[in-house]
Each structure stands twice: as structure tokens, then as C-alpha cells.
Amino acid sequence: MADNFAQTVKQQADIVKVIGEYVKLRKSGAQNYSGLCPFHKEKSPSFSVNATHGYFYCFGCHEKGDVFTFVQKIENVSFPEAVRSVAVKVGIPLPKREFHSAEEAREAGIRKQLLDIHEAATQWFEGNLKSPEAARAREYLTGRGVSAETIAKFRIGYAPDDFNSMREALGKHFSDEVMRASGLFSSKEQDDNGRPTGNLYARFRKRITFPIANEQGRVIAFTARALETDDKTAKYINSPETPLYTKGTVLFNLDKAKAAIRAEDYALLVEGQMDCISVYMAGVQPVIATSGTAFTEAQVRLLSRFTKRVVVNFDPDTAGANATEKSLALLMEEEFEVKVVTLEGGLDPDRYVRENGIQAYANALRGAKPLADYLVERARKLYPQQTPEAKVKAVNFLLPHIRRMPSAIQRNAFVNDAAQKLGIDNALLQEEVRRAAASRVESIRRHSVMEISDTERTLLQALVRPTGDAARDHAAVEISMHPEWVEGLSAGVLMEKLAAMEVEGTPLDAAGSEPERAMLARVLEQEIAIEVDALLIKVNGALHTIRKKWGERRRRELRTLITETERKGDKEMVRRLLEEDMQLARALRSL
């Protein structure tokens, strides 16, 4: 992709708007916005976006870059793909795609073909659901209350009981390399990475297929349910991990639910695809599913881009309760507001909606228990005896959850409630919590920011302005002509680089170390809108200050040098040093 096209896109893209699609940002200055970093786990915002200079920077993990870098990292795509993605968001027509190397072109081609083969497979499965062989599958779906509208909406299909027909159908349009990388086929022979190397046969057979889409709605994997199960047949099987699909980073139905999640500011988290589909089609649209996998930190961070409020409704069996507890732990650590739904009769969401109707389910959601109430009830259910031993076990069950609560007020209220309901002395439980809290280790350590003076801050704010700006050009010329003025200052090296314009791109690219980057990002974060004339006056004052301080430092150095040179008897050098000292004295008096 041509560099001039990328530059055009970058100039027209609103970095705050683009990043705001992924991260909830709030204004934190004239041109700065902050939010929770999507690239590492944190509890308080350290992620900063600067609208004026078009960059982002995280004070916690030190990720940085421009709008393209962000899209590359968040969507795991190449630079050309990021440029195209931002261009589409901005509404700029795309030129014919170009690549910088044959390898880049090949990788992009493979990725596109993997998306294409998943789309082709989806259509193939959809077509097979209408075949005579799929009568049993259609009966199953009808019995589960799945309508034709739902089948079409979620693109549900059927994989026939055949090893070869899918390979033969897709093999007419896709290379052997793409079919092997897709995860749609298996082989008796595999390489060290689990990729099939022998003869290919269909991975999904005699199963109902549910496509798994990425955030943009493109199919990247499948879950497939067996029509008949026994000890040797798993009820569900999923696509393996591929260049498109990493199971711990995808939330089922997020592509359809994300608008409703943002609008209603909460997400309903269920366990399986059928639960999710049933609830969504009944009218509760902010619903997503974990697709039968354990909830992961990556999924929590993904969800946090859309909301910090979650209602959890997993299956009530032992496995579901354990999954709920693990999910609660992750959500608590990320400071989500969490509630838990337990449906009457031990039903899962799909069956509950079919048997009781969506209104009853909506009422159950409204009656969702706050996290603390759910956990205390769970402890009482697990250890119902009123013996000292049972109470110890109940406390041990609750302590890890209490410890993860970020708010001291929440923890205190939780302890008081738990002590009362479990029949435990409040002071004893508080002491146990204090002991547990004392062992807690903060996982994220922020890099210390270098201290700088107001003078340095003013000059840095001027130097990051565009060439042609009077304040910027004046500061750059003076510092370039007199680098000795900034020698020894915390921001001295950085100011020289910015003055010389050695680095293209965002201002942060001029910083040579993480402390420098953090310092510059903090300066720009505190930047205020100011007219050129007013900034020029401030720059003149700052230059006057650093020149004067340099002169005073130099005179102190000269006095030391004169004393040492006199001891050595070098009269000519003493004369030169005295002359320089007198010139500096006159210059300082004139300032």
C-alpha cells in the first residue's frame, strides 16, 4: 500500500474516535483522553490518547504508537491491513492493494483465503442442512424451538456423515496449503504443531454446525454438535486454533451483541451457543457466550472495551457453578460490576426461555443477585452444617473472592454480611481478611516518570508542534544553535532530538528510553490549548531561563578551572578562561 495513501488516511483519521470503538475513553485534558489499557490488565486508567499529536501511550505497559499501530495490535493484523481498516472507518475509498515484500503478500493472501474458505464452508454447511440426510438435524433444531429465522440469522448448518465430500467441494477453489491451515480438516499424520500432513478428511461429520465469527462478523471457526452421543463421541467439538482463531480471545455473538452492550451498558454472559442464540432471538440482545471454554483474561479485557457491568448466567450444575466462580474472580479483578442469575428448577437459559417465556427470563435478570450475595449463598450451600469445621471451610471459600474486591468499602460490607449469615464473629472474619490482604501483591508496577521543570515542559510542548509554527521553530533554532543550554537537563537529549527533527512519526518516537517516553507522554497529556503568540512569549521566557542557568553553571565551572590552571602555571590558559568568564558576566547582566 502506497505510503502517501497511508499518510492521507492518518491525517483524516480521528484517533480518539477510532480507539474509542475499542476502549472507553474519557476526556482528561484539552486534547487528551484516558481509559483502561486494552493491552494489559489494570485497575486504574493509565492509557492515554493525544488527539493533537495522534498517538497513544500506556504508562503501565509502555505500549505506544499511532492509529495504525493501535489497530495492528488490537486486531492482530499487518500494517497494510490496519491502514485499510482505518480507511474503511474514515470512509476513504481503498486503492488497489500493494505489498512491501513477497512474504507479506503471501501471508496476507493466506489470511484472506482462510477467511474465504470459512465463508465457503459456512455456505456449504447451510446448504447441507436442507438435504434429505439432515432431516434428523432439522428435527432436533425444531425440537429445541429453533426457527427458520434463527437458523438464517446465526447461519446454522449441517456437516454430513462423509469424510471426503467437503474436501472435494472446497478443493476446487482452495489450495492444499489453505485447506490444511484452516482447521476444517483432519489427518492421521500431523506435524509438531498439530497441522495435518497426511490425507485430509472432514473434521466435522454428522453434526449441526454453529459458525464462530470475529468482532467484524467474519466466520473464523466452528462449534459442531453431535446428533448422537456415546462414550466415544463428544457432544461438542470445536475448530482447533488457527492463524484466524484463538479460542481464549473470542466471545461468541459479540459481533451481533456489541451495539446493544454499549447501548444498554451491560453484557449477559452465558455458557453455550444454544443458550446465547435462544436468549438473543427472544429479544435480550446484549448476550454473549464463552463457547464452552473457560473464561480467560483476554476475553475479560475484550469485554471491558464495551462495558464494565456483567450479569453471569451459567448452567447451575457443578461444572457451571465452578465456571461461574472462575469467571467472577477474573471479572472482580478487572473491577466489573457483577451480578449472578440462578434460574428456578435448575434450568439453563435456553430451556428456561422455551418453558417459561422471555418475560419470565427478563424478570429473572432483573432479580439477579449482587456478587456478594451469590457468593455467601454459595458458601452456605457448600457447607450447610453449623459446625466450626464447616464455618472454617466456608470462610476459606470466601477469602479469595473477598481479597480480589478492589474497594475497601465493598470488602467491609461483604465481610459484615458474610459474618452475620454464616454465624461467625465479625472481628474474627475481619482479621482473616486483613491477613489475606497483607499477602496480596500488586501485579502491575508503573514505570517512574522522570521529573522535569516547568521550563522544560514549556519547551517540549513547543517542540512537538508542527514545523512552521513560530513557537516551535524559534525553540528549535535556539536549541540547535546552543545545545549546551540544555546539557544536563532531564529532557535535554530529547529536546535536541525534537529540535533537529531526527525522528518522523509521533513525538514519542523521538524518545530513546521508556522513562523519556513516559515523561514526554505525561507532558503532552497535561498540554493545554494556547495561542501561538502566547506560547511564543512562554518559549522566550523558557529560553531566557535555560540560557541564564547555563551561564551561571558555566561561570561556576570556569572558576574551578581557573583555580586549577593557576596551580599548574599555565598563564595563557588562565587568560583565556578569565576572558570567557568576563564575557559571560556581561552577557548575564544583559539578560
Side-chain angles (χ1 to χ4, degrees):
M1 184 170 293
D3 291 341
N4 58 350
F5 177 73
Q7 193 61 33
T8 298
V9 173
K10 186 174 178 180
Q11 288 171 352
Q12 295 187 31
D14 181 345
I15 189 171
V16 174
K17 185 176 180 181
V18 173
I19 292 181
E21 293 182 11
Y22 304 88
V23 179
K24 294 186 77 172
L25 297 172
R26 63 175 180 81
K27 212 166 194 304
S28 58
Q31 294 295 327
N32 285 279
Y33 297 77
S34 63
L36 293 172
C37 180
F39 303 120
H40 81 284
K41 185 171 72 175
E42 63 177 4
K43 296 176 181 176
S44 56
S46 64
F47 182 79
S48 178
V49 182
N50 188 290
T52 302
H53 303 290
Y55 73 85
F56 70 90
Y57 180 78
C58 177
F59 291 93
C61 69
H62 312 300
E63 289 284 2
K64 66 177 180 68
D66 60 14
V67 65
F68 300 139
T69 313
F70 180 87
V71 173
Q72 278 185 268
K73 292 178 183 293
I74 201 75
E75 294 191 1
N76 190 28
V77 296
S78 66
F79 175 77
E81 288 175 308
V83 174
R84 293 170 71 87
S85 176
V86 175
V88 170
K89 295 176 190 293
V90 175
I92 298 175
L94 298 174
K96 183 178 179 181
R97 189 164 186 179
E98 297 177 6
F99 299 98
H100 296 293
S101 68
E103 182 62 22
E104 183 182 297
R106 178 185 169 278
E107 289 180 1
I110 291 291
R111 185 179 179 86
K112 181 181 184 304
Q113 289 180 70
L114 286 174
L115 288 169
D116 289 344
I117 197 172
H118 276 83
E119 174 59 29
T122 303
Q123 294 181 22
W124 193 77
F125 289 141
E126 286 178 301
N128 274 286
L129 185 60
K130 300 172 184 177
S131 68
E133 182 190 332
R136 174 74 181 85
R138 293 193 295 273
E139 289 173 11
Y140 170 82
L141 291 170
T142 300
R144 294 290 297 263
V146 180
S147 66
E149 180 189 2
T150 301
I151 290 172
K153 179 78 172 178
F154 284 87
R155 307 192 67 184
I156 298 170
Y158 176 72
D161 189 15
D162 188 293
F163 284 87
N164 302 314
S165 58
M166 183 179 182
R167 183 194 68 231
E168 292 167 357
L170 298 185
K172 297 175 183 177
H173 308 285
F174 299 96
S175 69
D176 184 73
E177 180 184 13
V178 171
M179 289 200 293
R180 291 183 187 279
S182 69
L184 296 169
F185 301 94
S186 297
S187 171
K188 291 181 180 179
E189 296 84 30
Q190 297 179 337
D191 62 17
D192 294 338
N193 296 315
R195 289 188 293 261
T197 57
N199 293 328
L200 297 177
Y201 58 87
R203 178 182 297 275
F204 306 115
R205 301 181 306 280
K206 202 175 181 181
R207 290 175 179 270
I208 297 170
T209 58
F210 300 89
I212 299 172
N214 61 16
E215 193 181 323
Q216 290 73 43
R218 300 292 300 273
V219 178
I220 56 174
F222 292 91
T223 290
R225 190 195 192 283
L227 290 176
E228 299 170 1
T229 59
D230 53 39
D231 292 340
K232 296 181 180 180
T233 305
K235 182 184 288 187
Y236 287 96
I237 61 173
N238 299 311
S239 292
E241 296 200 348
T242 70
L244 292 181
Y245 174 61
T246 303
K247 63 182 180 180
T249 63
V250 178
L251 289 168
F252 180 76
N253 199 47
L254 182 61
D255 59 311
K256 298 180 183 66
K258 61 184 179 182
I261 292 172
R262 277 202 174 106
E264 301 184 37
D265 193 22
Y266 92 98
L268 171 62
L269 182 63
V270 298
E271 201 169 354
Q273 279 99 338
M274 279 307 305
D275 289 331
C276 184
I277 291 169
S278 180
V279 169
Y280 181 89
M281 293 304 292
V284 179
Q285 295 196 336
V287 60
I288 52 177
T290 58
S291 299
T293 61
F295 206 40
T296 67
E297 288 185 10
Q299 289 170 324
V300 172
R301 289 198 294 273
L302 173 61
L303 185 56
S304 71
R305 287 164 35 197
F306 302 92
T307 186
K308 296 291 282 188
R309 300 172 65 227
V310 174
V311 177
V312 178
N313 185 192
F314 284 173
D315 290 349
D317 58 18
T318 301
N322 291 337
T324 299
E325 288 159 21
K326 291 177 182 177
S327 300
L328 293 177
L330 289 171
L331 291 165
M332 271 192 292
E333 288 183 344
E334 291 291 336
E335 296 189 5
F336 275 74
E337 178 188 325
V338 184
K339 292 185 177 181
V340 182
V341 173
T342 304
L343 299 173
E344 292 181 11
L347 302 179
D348 60 33
D350 171 43
R351 187 174 172 188
Y352 189 91
V353 169
R354 285 188 284 116
E355 292 187 6
N356 298 285
I358 189 59
Q359 188 57 53
Y361 187 72
N363 292 337
L365 291 182
R366 281 192 287 273
K369 291 183 175 64
L371 172 64
D373 293 350
Y374 169 80
L375 290 172
V376 172
E377 284 191 20
R378 176 87 173 129
R380 292 176 68 186
K381 184 176 180 180
L382 288 171
Y383 310 105
Q385 302 85 359
Q386 291 297 307
T387 63
E389 293 79 6
K391 291 180 180 181
V392 168
K393 289 178 180 178
V395 169
N396 287 335
F397 168 80
L398 291 174
L399 277 176
H401 296 287
I402 299 173
R403 191 171 64 244
R404 289 186 179 97
M405 288 186 171
S407 166
I409 295 174
Q410 282 181 311
R411 289 196 298 273
N412 189 59
F414 190 175
V415 168
N416 291 337
D417 185 52
Q420 180 182 357
K421 290 179 178 176
L422 295 175
I424 300 171
D425 183 81
N426 187 291
L428 290 176
L429 188 51
Q430 290 280 10
E431 178 58 30
E432 288 295 327
V433 172
R434 274 193 290 274
R435 259 189 229 152
S439 64
R440 187 178 186 185
V441 178
E442 180 60 50
S443 61
I444 302 297
R445 296 181 180 180
R446 295 194 177 189
H447 209 296
S448 59
V449 178
M450 295 168 66
E451 293 296 326
I452 60 171
S453 64
D454 289 340
T455 299
E456 292 172 272
R457 186 174 290 105
T458 295
L459 292 172
L460 285 173
Q461 288 174 346
L463 288 167
V464 297
R465 292 166 81 97
T467 302
D469 180 278
R472 191 261 170 214
D473 290 350
H474 181 49
V477 167
E478 291 297 317
I479 290 171
S480 297
M481 290 178 63
H482 305 284
E484 68 275 8
W485 292 358
V486 298
E487 187 177 343
L489 299 181
S490 297
V493 174
L494 183 56
M495 282 193 278
E496 285 190 69
K497 288 180 180 178
L498 288 169
M501 291 299 290
E502 292 180 358
V503 180
E504 296 181 356
T506 70
L508 295 184
D509 292 332
S513 65
E514 286 301 342
E516 279 188 346
R517 276 190 281 275
M519 172 186 66
L520 184 55
R522 188 67 74 199
V523 166
L524 298 177
E525 190 178 46
Q526 297 165 354
E527 191 176 18
I528 59 174
I530 186 170
E531 295 294 331
V532 174
D533 290 344
L535 182 57
L536 190 56
I537 292 171
K538 288 186 68 177
V539 166
N540 276 324
L543 290 170
H544 179 278
T545 299
I546 64 170
R547 181 184 177 188
K548 184 177 180 181
K549 288 186 175 180
W550 170 80
E552 291 169 348
R553 285 199 312 273
R554 180 59 181 163
R555 287 201 73 195
R556 288 193 295 271
E557 292 172 1
L558 285 171
R559 285 193 289 271
T560 301
L561 287 171
I562 290 168
T563 301
E564 292 177 356
T565 308
E566 283 177 338
R567 274 203 307 267
K568 294 177 181 178
D570 189 341
K571 294 181 181 180
E572 177 59 25
M573 180 58 72
V574 170
R575 184 188 66 77
R576 291 177 184 174
L577 293 173
L578 285 170
E579 184 178 342
E580 183 182 349
D581 184 54
M582 285 188 290
Q583 289 175 348
L584 270 176
R586 284 195 296 269
L588 288 171
R589 283 195 296 272
S590 69
L591 291 178

